[in-house]
Amino acid sequence: MNRRRVVRDALAIGIAVGAYGLGFGAAGVTAGLSVLQTSALSLLVFTGASQFALVGVIGAGGSLLAGVASALLLGSRNTLYAVRLAGLLGLQGPRRLLAAQGTIDETTAMATGAPEELAGVAFWVTFAAVYGCWNLATLIGALGAGALDTRALGLDAAVGAAFLALLAPQIRNRTGGLVAVAGAAIAAVAIPFTSAGLPVLIAAIAVVPAVARR
Amino acid sequence: MTWLAVLGTAVGCYALKLAGWSLPARWLENERLREAAALLPLALLAALVVVQTLGVGRALSLDARAAGVLVGGIAAWRRAPFIVVVLVAAVTAAALRAVPR
């Protein structure tokens, strides 16, 4: 893999992420956030699943605290990505503070997948491409959804489908499948008994058997 | 209040990222911690699918929205691109609602 190939792949990932960004922008406004709030999430939080979780819980009428807690639980995997990237790129000072914001699924996959001498290029180019596309697409999606009748267009179904689309490629083995099924079942049982937002947090206990077995 | 949640999530998610860059690596090289971080998104995303598909407050409801997510799920299972999954779900729900009854 040469430098050119790395840059081309990074740009392709950026464009693909744009599709999620459109979906997120629409989901944010559908959940009742303003265009500015939705865009601020993409600019400042910049980790897709966490952002979707926050607006999903708010849209379902859950407490803001439950929404933030769900977002942080989903964001915890970035901590482990950062450990790998720190070992690979070894940055210091302001560059490290900037790189921290870019520590997400896509940049980690590209940096760890590239030849070692190109890891830095792969990380920074992917970060730039994904950040640009994600934020532009969020704004377009938010403005678009704000101008439309989201229920008549079925955008509420699009939010559930977006979570499914995020989930499907992550199920790579039997343990993953079992944890997902258990999480879904726990949430379904919890919905009638807890206030909105809590079923998602309670579903986190689905990982306990798999982790305890280790 | 919504702004507080937006900024709280921003600060929290950035702190989680920065922690991995700053803490000694051996603190985080725990096998169980890795497994938990890898599996948590699966449990939470699956729960979010259920809440967004069936939940209406504290009630469960099977309606046009659920039908849309089901069709989107078939597309996701067939490895369709994200935008296709989302679009077929929305179109299905919209079409069912447009049918006069």
Side-chain angles (χ1 to χ4, degrees), chain A residues 159-173:
Chain A
V159 178
F163 283 121
L164 258 181
L166 289 171
L167 171 66
Q170 295 197 37
I171 300 177
R172 291 189 201 93
N173 54 39

Side-chain angles (χ1 to χ4, degrees), chain A residues 6 9-10 59 68 82 93 126 128 149 160 176 195 206 210-211:
Chain A
V6 166
D9 286 358
V68 174
T126 308
D149 178 350
S195 52
V211 173

Side-chain angles (χ1 to χ4, degrees), chain B residues 13-31:
Chain B
C13 283
Y14 183 73
L16 284 168
K17 293 170 177 174
L18 189 61
W21 282 91
S22 308
L23 297 175
R26 61 189 161 77
W27 289 13
L28 299 164
E29 271 169 0
N30 178 302
E31 191 61 34

Side-chain angles (χ1 to χ4, degrees), chain A residues 52-65:
Chain A
F52 265 112
L54 178 66
V55 302
V57 170
I58 292 176
S63 75
L64 295 175
L65 199 62

Side-chain angles (χ1 to χ4, degrees), chain A residues 56 79 97 103 151 156, chain B residues 14 16-17 21 32 52 97:
Chain A
T79 307
L97 295 179
T103 304
R151 206 183 117 81
D156 53 345
Chain B
Y14 183 73
L16 284 168
K17 293 170 177 174
W21 282 91
R32 283 185 176 176
Q52 293 294 322
R97 283 179 186 143

Side-chain angles (χ1 to χ4, degrees), chain A residues 10 13 19 34 48 53 70 93 136 144 149 151 164 179:
Chain A
I13 289 175
S34 67
S70 302
L136 184 65
D149 178 350
R151 206 183 117 81
L164 258 181
V179 167

